[in-house]
Amino acid sequence: MEMDKYKEEKQKENVLIDLITKIALIAIATREIAETYFRINFWIDKIKEKPEKEAKSSFLIPEKTKLTFKNIIGFKETKSELKSALEWPLKYKELMENYDIEPINGICLFGPPGCGKTHFVRCAAGEFNVNLYLASPSTIGSMWYGQTEKRIRKLFNEARRNSPSIIAIDEADKLLPKSSGSSVQPRVISEFLQNMDGLLTEKSQTIVILLTNEPWKLNEAIIRRGRVDRIIYVPPPDYETRVLLFKYYMSKVMHNIDENVSFKELGNLTEASQKGYYSSAAIREICRTAKEEAFKNTLSSINKVKISMEHFQIALLKVPPDISTESISKYNEWKMTYASYMLP
Ligand SMILES: Nc1ncnc2c1ncn2[C@@H]1O[C@H](COP(=O)(O)OP(=O)(O)OP(=O)(O)O)[C@@H](O)[C@H]1O
Ligand SMILES: [Mg+2]
């Protein structure tokens, strides 16, 4: 009886020891897990910082271009709108201050793809001899937490330091879109807005130009006076511009052009129709295709074949209008709502 009691006591003791050992093991394991967790986090943070330490990002290196407004073929109206928007703040800053005129902080250049938005910005930077910082969501955006905001700050600081300057944001609607519910986007937008507002309070000679093919997707907070003060439409080339663009893209082969080529006729043949509108890039493509067609003919004949209207006809069949009529209506509608009250 005594023996049974002793055994029972011993068993209880063993169970207790077993339990304590297990608890101790769990505690050690938990600590290990916690330490490993913190160690992992430490390395994650290190990795996160890494992209920042990489070579100076391309968007922080200003472009110096020799292009000027002379390199913008046609587009008389757009060119003069852009010129007048930039001339005052970039050329007459002090004089403007004398008259207590607030400088322009930002401009939005919108319009269909391939019509010349990026080209115009380069020409404007060259015309006023200012540093151009060209950034896009792919160069400034980062998958790393908080990096996009950091890069935005760096970009503005660099541009301010090297003013007079232009910060051009390509595909601005993708970097600064209307709210989508994502937790990252509001911080990026708020960082951008703060920096833009900073330019105004500091009276910095840095101008932001937003470039977009889909202006209706831009965050509303940015499209307001004090931030974006001018909205400029870059439309598909009109008749006069198309004629000039054809002449420009064929200028190097004038000696090789058949007498039957009429640039005015080409301007008419590329008039907008139900099929759509031709962009500047499409006009360049038509010229390239016509040159290739003539070259192909030359390879299969004894004599050199001149570039003729027939080659342009083939090119026109191969290169259809690349801008839909619906999209042009959308641009005009947006222009009516925003651009009209932004006029000086
Ligand atoms: N008026 C012009 N004079 C000379 N070249 C032009 C003109 N307009 C456009 N181009 C040329 O047409 C091509 C397309 O222009 P650009 O890339 O500037 O268009 P974009 O509006 O910025 O297009 P996207 O919206 O796709 O970025 C470029 O090679 C550019 O040099
Ligand atoms: Mg562009």
Side-chain angles (χ1 to χ4, degrees):
M1 208 51 189
E2 283 270 306
M3 195 61 187
D4 282 352
K5 212 171 173 189
Y6 173 75
K7 268 188 184 170
E8 203 178 307
E9 284 294 314
K10 206 68 191 158
Q11 246 172 5
K12 270 186 193 167
E13 205 182 290
N14 283 344
V15 170
L16 207 64
I17 291 170
D18 206 33
L19 195 69
I20 291 168
T21 318
K22 274 183 186 154
I23 290 172
L25 282 175
I26 289 170
I28 292 167
T30 313
R31 201 178 138 203
E32 276 293 318
I33 290 169
E35 275 183 2
T36 315
Y37 172 78
F38 285 120
R39 243 177 273 139
I40 289 173
N41 259 1
F42 172 79
W43 283 109
I44 287 177
D45 284 347
K46 278 269 168 241
I47 295 166
K48 271 184 185 175
E49 281 167 19
K50 205 176 163 219
E52 255 339 79
K53 288 178 187 157
E54 281 167 5
K56 198 165 183 178
S57 318
S58 60
F59 63 87
L60 293 176
I61 301 165
E63 269 188 44
K64 268 285 181 193
T65 166
K66 286 209 164 72
L67 294 172
T68 67
F69 280 138
K70 284 199 191 93
N71 298 91
I72 299 181
I73 312 296
F75 287 97
K76 240 186 192 164
E77 216 174 298
T78 316
K79 193 161 40 174
S80 108
E81 271 185 73
L82 189 60
K83 194 174 175 190
S84 70
L86 291 169
E87 198 165 36
W88 282 15
L90 292 177
K91 261 176 116 172
Y92 308 113
K93 184 186 171 245
E94 269 151 39
L95 196 60
M96 278 176 87
E97 277 173 17
N98 264 320
Y99 284 83
D100 190 28
I101 298 172
E102 288 223 333
I104 279 180
N105 208 16
I107 294 171
C108 173
L109 269 192
F110 76 98
C115 290
K117 295 181 294 297
T118 311
H119 180 66
F120 292 4
V121 168
R122 288 207 165 96
C123 294
E127 175 78 23
F128 295 109
N129 193 25
V130 300
N131 287 308
L132 171 64
Y133 293 86
L134 193 55
S136 68
S138 59
T139 56
I140 204 171
S142 166
M143 60 191 239
W144 304 100
Y145 185 87
Q147 287 295 326
T148 310
E149 296 91 300
K150 253 192 199 172
R151 289 180 181 181
I152 288 173
R153 261 195 311 276
K154 275 190 177 178
L155 171 66
F156 274 84
N157 286 341
E158 199 75 3
R160 266 197 299 249
R161 217 162 50 79
N162 294 312
S163 71
S165 55
I166 291 175
I167 296 176
I169 309 287
D170 225 346
E171 296 181 79
D173 55 282
K174 298 208 171 58
L175 187 74
L176 310 161
K178 283 189 168 140
S179 42
S180 63
S182 135
S183 61
V184 178
Q185 228 36 263
R187 286 201 321 271
V188 169
I189 289 162
S190 138
E191 184 67 51
F192 200 90
L193 297 182
Q194 271 180 37
N195 279 280
M196 266 195 97
D197 294 348
L199 293 180
L200 204 60
T201 41
E202 274 175 31
K203 296 196 162 66
S204 163
Q205 229 179 340
T206 297
I207 292 179
V208 177
I209 305 186
L210 305 175
L211 308 174
T212 173
N213 297 331
E214 295 180 291
W216 41 85
K217 288 191 178 167
L218 272 173
N219 191 280
E220 303 87 343
I222 205 141
I223 301 286
R224 69 158 181 78
R225 270 198 186 277
R227 288 187 183 135
V228 166
D229 304 286
R230 291 278 190 287
I231 292 185
I232 300 173
Y233 180 38
V234 181
D238 59 11
Y239 169 78
E240 199 189 332
T241 301
R242 290 196 303 276
V243 172
L244 291 172
L245 281 171
F246 275 115
K247 283 186 184 166
Y248 170 71
Y249 288 122
M250 300 308 285
S251 58
K252 284 189 187 155
V253 286
M254 277 307 186
H255 59 281
N256 230 352
I257 287 185
D258 194 281
E259 277 172 8
N260 76 354
V261 171
S262 156
F263 291 113
K264 284 186 179 168
E265 175 71 7
L266 286 170
N268 281 324
L269 289 168
T270 46
E271 193 58 79
S273 67
Q274 280 168 337
K275 286 188 202 157
Y277 290 70
Y278 280 97
S279 69
S280 309
I283 304 286
R284 188 186 56 192
E285 189 59 17
I286 292 170
C287 293
R288 193 180 67 84
T289 312
K291 289 174 198 168
E292 277 179 10
E293 288 302 317
F295 185 66
K296 266 196 255 171
N297 286 172
T298 299
L299 292 182
S300 55
S301 68
I302 305 157
N303 298 318
K304 223 158 126 187
V305 176
K306 289 199 164 189
I307 305 158
S308 67
M309 212 54 186
E310 288 70 38
H311 296 125
F312 276 106
Q313 296 287 2
I314 299 170
L316 283 165
L317 289 175
K318 287 190 173 176
V319 185
D322 55 345
I323 304 165
S324 72
T325 39
E326 297 86 64
S327 70
I328 296 299
S329 316
K330 225 171 156 186
Y331 287 119
N332 283 325
E333 222 172 90
W334 194 81
K335 188 178 155 196
M336 292 288 278
T337 335
Y338 282 96
S340 52
Y341 72 79
M342 287 280 184
L343 287 172

